[in-house]
Amino acid sequence: MKGENSMEFGVWSLVPPVLTIALALTTKNVFISLLIGILTGNLVLNHFAVFTGLNAGIYSILDTMTESNTLIIGSVLITAAVIHLAEKSGGIEGFVNVVVKKQGLIKSKRGANLFTWLLGLVVFTSGTLSWMGTGSVARPVNDALKVPHEKAAFIVHTTSTPWCVLFPFSGWLAAMAGYLVTGGVPEDQSVSVLFQSLFMNFYCILAILLVLVLALTQKDFGPMAKAEARAATTGELDDPIHKKADSDTSKAVSGFTPRAINLLLPVGTLIAVMFAALIITGNGNLMNGSGMKALIWAVIIALLVASVLCVVFTVSQVIDEIFKGMSGMLPITFVLLFGFTMGNVVKSLDTGTYLSSIFQQFLSPALLPALTFLIAVLISFATGTSMGTMAIMAVIALPMAYSMGNSIPLVAGAMFGGSIFGDHASPISDTTIMTCSTTGCDIIDHIKTQFPYVCSIAVISFVLYVIAGFIM
């Protein structure tokens, strides 16, 4: 790709991401929207040379299949196969029987919501593992108690990444501390500043608390309230317009006795191996481990365990069921692939730097935290990447905070919180796509119902940063 010269494309750098988001929200087809955004971005990168741009667009998709992206996509497909085998072997039905029907451990929507929320807090080592593990394990419980898929996706999505940021005892700690160092924080102080910033990350704190409050009170508003009413009155867990065929994922095939262990053992294996692999790849240090390598080993071993539990099937039948499970996730993996490609296009266009340059002229010491948050919100929404936004904002906001005498933890908290907003609100975010893949929610339905909540959190956070900027 072209575009090595920062700011080369100016306002044109905004066109591809804005067009993609607008098309996704209006056409409700994320796949086509991302494809058009990728091709448009490559046209801009190649100065509107049509054939060169289209050719570059096609190859940019192929070039996205890097090792890390391949590991993520492979993990998504294998996890789908694990859950499918657990379904066919009676694991999901058995799990629902234990926690909902026979034992009655979870008896209401409130209980299902709290269970999903708590599970998201427990799985903190990786955002990817949290979306996949929490969404997959909680889905049969939520489905049995008629929690709409929009609500389940909101809880999983709004708990996972914010909690990984607020409780960063994983690869997140090294990454976030590294961003602080690039912004001028002394290396020996970076971890200390990071932990101080956690208490000033208003967006993530409010996001976690909002989910808890909504789960306890069972009071929703906006499109989410309509989704809850639909599920309560009709039993439809999805908007009928986007309802998926064969949405019942709990019944075992003939010959299997429903047993919760057929779900809990593979999922427990996945989590245990994930922890062990993080320690091994980190040479004894969990926080230094390779998240992607740990995840791929975890899902592979979990798949082997799930396969062994399918004692009624022959080896050929198990293999057939594995591919059936993966096939149901193929549309999502292509959307995920296009999402990764779109992220690369936006990075090449230097959209984040251009957006930052627009707002720098409005910065003042007291308003720096609030405007840092606002800029991070806009960049993360346009690009769909929290890590990329952190990388951009660190080298812009932190040096200015030092020169203006601002509280570094306060500005860092604003930067980290604003960066997470795009993970929640953007339809082109990989976290949005993966959350929907495990909860069964349509991507546009998820964005539509979640948007009023995350925007409310963002507005309150912005006001808090304005106040904090004047008193700290």
Side-chain angles (χ1 to χ4, degrees):
M1 289 182 184
K2 298 181 180 180
E4 293 81 357
N5 182 19
S6 177
M7 306 286 290
E8 175 185 354
F9 301 103
V11 70
W12 283 106
S13 68
L14 297 175
V15 173
V18 170
L19 176 63
T20 300
I21 293 169
L23 285 174
L25 295 176
T26 54
T27 67
K28 305 187 185 308
N29 190 315
V30 177
F31 184 88
I32 296 297
S33 302
L34 282 169
L35 179 59
I36 292 174
I38 291 168
L39 296 177
T40 303
N42 277 277
L43 283 174
V44 175
L45 286 168
N46 288 276
H47 305 285
F48 301 97
V50 177
F51 293 109
T52 303
L54 292 177
N55 182 67
I58 294 171
Y59 276 94
S60 68
I61 297 172
L62 300 176
D63 292 340
T64 300
M65 294 301 293
T66 60
E67 179 182 357
S68 61
N69 291 344
T70 303
L71 287 175
I72 292 173
I73 291 174
S75 298
V76 170
L77 290 172
I78 297 172
T79 301
V82 171
I83 300 303
H84 181 75
L85 290 181
E87 169 201 337
K88 294 302 179 183
S89 65
I92 291 179
E93 186 175 355
F95 182 65
V96 172
N97 287 341
V98 169
V99 301
V100 179
K101 297 179 180 178
K102 294 181 180 178
Q103 301 298 324
L105 299 179
I106 301 175
K107 302 178 181 179
S108 63
K109 284 187 176 182
R110 179 182 288 107
N113 290 172
L114 289 172
F115 170 71
T116 307
W117 181 77
L118 287 170
L119 192 59
L121 298 186
V122 170
V123 186
F124 64 87
T125 58
S126 162
T128 305
L129 179 60
S130 183
W131 308 313
M132 294 167 65
T134 304
S136 300
V137 173
R139 182 176 177 182
V141 176
N142 286 319
D143 285 1
L145 291 167
K146 300 302 179 183
V147 176
H149 287 160
E150 295 95 329
K151 185 66 170 289
F154 165 69
I155 297 174
V156 171
H157 203 180
T158 310
T159 305
S160 58
T161 311
W163 187 242
C164 286
V165 171
L166 292 176
F167 198 72
F169 294 97
S170 62
W172 280 80
L173 188 143
M176 293 165 68
Y179 292 138
L180 294 178
V181 172
T182 64
V185 177
E187 189 170 349
D188 59 343
Q189 299 177 21
S190 60
V191 174
S192 174
V193 171
L194 171 59
F195 281 110
Q196 292 177 59
S197 75
L198 300 183
F199 298 97
M200 300 178 190
N201 190 335
F202 303 139
Y203 180 85
C204 289
I205 293 172
L206 291 173
I208 296 292
L209 292 178
L210 177 63
V211 175
L212 176 60
V213 169
L214 292 176
L216 289 172
T217 63
Q218 291 294 290
K219 300 294 184 183
D220 290 285
F221 60 88
M224 190 70 78
K226 294 180 180 178
E228 283 281 14
R230 181 199 67 232
T233 56
T234 69
E236 294 282 358
L237 301 184
D238 294 290
D239 187 325
I241 298 175
H242 301 129
K243 184 179 179 181
K244 301 173 180 63
D246 190 23
S247 60
D248 186 356
T249 61
S250 63
K251 297 297 181 182
V253 298
S254 177
F256 282 101
T257 301
R259 299 190 307 160
I261 193 67
N262 287 7
L263 171 67
L264 296 178
L265 188 57
V267 173
T269 299
L270 188 152
I271 295 173
V273 173
M274 181 78 180
F275 273 100
L278 283 170
I279 293 172
I280 293 171
T281 58
N283 295 319
N285 189 329
L286 178 75
M287 292 182 289
N288 290 338
S290 171
M292 285 300 100
K293 292 180 179 179
L295 180 60
I296 195 67
W297 274 109
V299 295
I300 288 173
I301 295 177
L303 180 62
L304 292 176
V305 172
S307 300
V308 170
L309 292 172
C310 293
V311 292
V312 174
F313 286 151
T314 65
V315 173
S316 295
Q317 288 175 319
V318 170
I319 293 174
D320 287 342
E321 292 299 332
I322 287 174
F323 282 113
K324 286 180 183 178
M326 290 182 175
S327 66
M329 200 62 68
L330 281 177
I332 287 292
T333 58
F334 275 97
V335 171
L336 191 57
L337 173 62
F338 281 13
F340 288 145
T341 306
M342 189 65 197
N344 291 338
V345 170
V346 169
K347 183 178 180 180
S348 296
L349 289 168
D350 222 4
T351 304
T353 303
Y354 176 70
L355 277 173
S356 299
S357 69
I358 295 175
F359 284 91
Q360 281 184 21
Q361 57 185 308
F362 303 110
L363 294 179
S364 65
L367 293 177
L368 179 61
L371 288 178
T372 295
F373 176 76
L374 178 60
I375 297 169
V377 161
L378 294 175
I379 293 174
S380 61
F381 181 74
T383 61
T385 168
S386 57
M387 286 293 187
T389 303
M390 291 177 192
I392 293 168
M393 291 304 300
V395 297
I396 296 173
L398 295 179
M400 296 186 71
Y402 273 111
S403 64
M404 293 180 176
N406 287 90
S407 165
I408 302 303
L410 177 61
V411 174
M415 174 186 76
F416 290 135
S419 298
I420 296 302
F421 176 87
D423 270 342
H424 291 159
S426 178
I428 63 175
S429 167
D430 58 344
T431 71
T432 298
I433 298 165
M434 284 191 279
T435 297
C436 291
S437 73
T438 58
T439 58
C441 185
D442 178 79
I443 292 175
I444 299 303
D445 287 343
H446 174 44
I447 294 298
K448 180 178 65 178
T449 52
Q450 179 167 267
F451 202 71
Y453 290 150
V454 296
C455 284
S456 299
I457 300 170
V459 169
I460 296 172
S461 299
F462 180 81
V463 173
L464 291 175
Y465 283 120
V466 171
I467 296 172
F470 280 98
I471 65 176
M472 294 183 68

